[in-house]
Amino acid sequence: MDDYLIGVLSNIGISSFLALSAYLLLLTGEISFGQQAFFAIGAYAAGIGTALWGWPLGVALFCGAVTAGLAAVLVGLPTLRLHGLYFAVATLAFAEMVRLVFEQFRYQVMIDGEPVGPNGADGFRGIRYIFENDVGPLQFIALIYGLLAAVLTGFVLLERSRLGTAFRMIGEDAVLAELHGLAVARLRVLAAGLAGALAGLGGGLYAHLTTYVEPRIFDVMLGVHSLAYGLIGGLGTALGPLLGVLIDIGVLESIRFLAGYRMIIFGGLVALLLIVRPRGLLDEALVHRIRKAGSRWFIRRSPANGETA
């Protein structure tokens, strides 16, 4: 497989974790511009696990996700009392604070005569687990998409559960949800923790794919894109953010020849799309119609109606 295609597919897969992270918060009615903070925490934590402490990749990715999830819970406890613009600004401020902390964070260990580990603004080099353990590009892509498939399965189960219904009820009307007996604050903190863990898992994968991370990677534009994925693709299903990732990366890659103008063109297309489809392409109404049509087709094709499946 071509190296360029491998790079694009890997980028799509890893970005999907960040997209699903922001999407989960959108379900509860919260707009976050700070999911890049948990992406960064997961990247640094997983990188330290393998490069400095010699952990297996799976353990490091898990610990990166847990660390990011716990950080999201700690942030969520005070900030989820805020709503709307105030919450969005608070998450952005936290993300910038995390980025500045990593610009000062230094923790290096001598390995084979070379310093390895986070070195402030110079970044964190030498996250070489996949090379040192002969993990090929196709194997790593299989790992990315295997984990993504597991996460999507979790979202399918979530959407069919009482917890998923509760998240959507809170997103539609938090006051009404509270009147129905839902613990709105606790559920929002739970959603924040799960969203942080998803972003952290994506960050851990990103660190091992690139072998190098630096604080400026985790800037506000990464947070804007993570939020835009769900708004573009749609909030009716977890497949919406993935569609948003495909459109975002696909369009930007296809108009790469326009150089500096491509972000302007892409921004205009996104603005137009949000005017026409404010809940995204796969919004709740369209998803409901698709499911209803699918159910009717299945009933018509079922043996009970005299037809073979």
Side-chain angles (χ1 to χ4, degrees), residues 68-309:
L70 290 175
V73 168
L74 291 176
V75 173
L77 288 172
T79 59
L80 284 173
R81 298 179 183 277
L82 305 174
H83 302 291
L85 180 61
Y86 299 102
F87 177 79
V89 171
T91 57
L92 177 59
F94 171 74
E96 282 298 288
M97 182 186 72
V98 168
R99 187 180 64 79
L100 293 173
V101 166
F102 280 128
E103 284 192 352
Q104 304 300 319
F105 179 53
R106 287 174 173 82
Y107 172 47
Q108 294 191 301
V109 174
M110 296 299 292
I111 299 176
D112 296 330
E114 300 251 344
V116 176
N119 189 28
D122 291 335
F124 182 179
R125 303 177 187 276
I127 310 172
R128 300 185 58 81
Y129 180 92
I130 64 173
F131 297 101
E132 293 171 352
N133 291 271
D134 297 321
V135 179
L138 294 181
Q139 289 176 292
F140 198 70
I141 283 183
L143 173 63
I144 292 171
Y145 281 93
L147 290 172
L148 182 59
V151 169
L152 285 174
T153 301
F155 267 98
V156 170
L157 296 175
L158 176 67
E159 289 175 352
R160 297 179 179 180
S161 69
R162 294 178 62 183
L163 179 60
T165 303
F167 282 163
R168 286 196 178 274
M169 285 182 64
I170 293 170
E172 291 173 5
D173 193 327
V175 175
L176 183 61
E178 197 157 18
L179 290 174
H180 277 81
L182 294 179
V184 173
R186 291 182 181 179
L187 288 170
R188 278 182 165 160
V189 170
L190 174 61
L194 293 173
L198 283 176
L201 178 57
L205 290 168
Y206 176 81
H208 287 86
L209 174 68
T210 60
T211 74
Y212 166 70
V213 292
E214 60 181 354
R216 65 181 180 180
I217 294 172
F218 311 107
D219 62 5
V220 63
M221 286 308 300
L222 184 60
V224 170
H225 276 268
S226 69
L227 181 63
Y229 295 141
L231 296 176
I232 295 170
L235 303 179
T237 170
L239 294 177
L242 272 62
L243 176 61
V245 172
L246 288 172
I247 292 173
D248 184 358
I249 295 177
V251 170
L252 288 177
E253 290 297 324
S254 64
I255 59 175
R256 181 176 288 275
F257 65 93
L258 294 175
Y261 295 100
R262 65 191 186 121
M263 290 303 298
I264 298 174
I265 295 172
F266 178 74
L269 291 174
V270 171
L272 179 61
L273 175 61
L274 292 179
I275 292 172
V276 178
R277 305 279 297 187
R279 297 284 292 180
L281 292 172
L282 292 175
D283 61 10
E284 291 85 350
L286 179 58
V287 170
H288 177 71
R289 288 198 298 270
I290 291 173
R291 288 174 176 169
K292 192 173 181 180
S295 298
R296 288 176 177 173
W297 180 87
F298 180 78
I299 292 172
R300 287 199 302 267
R301 298 288 293 175
S302 66
N305 286 297
E307 297 185 32
T308 59

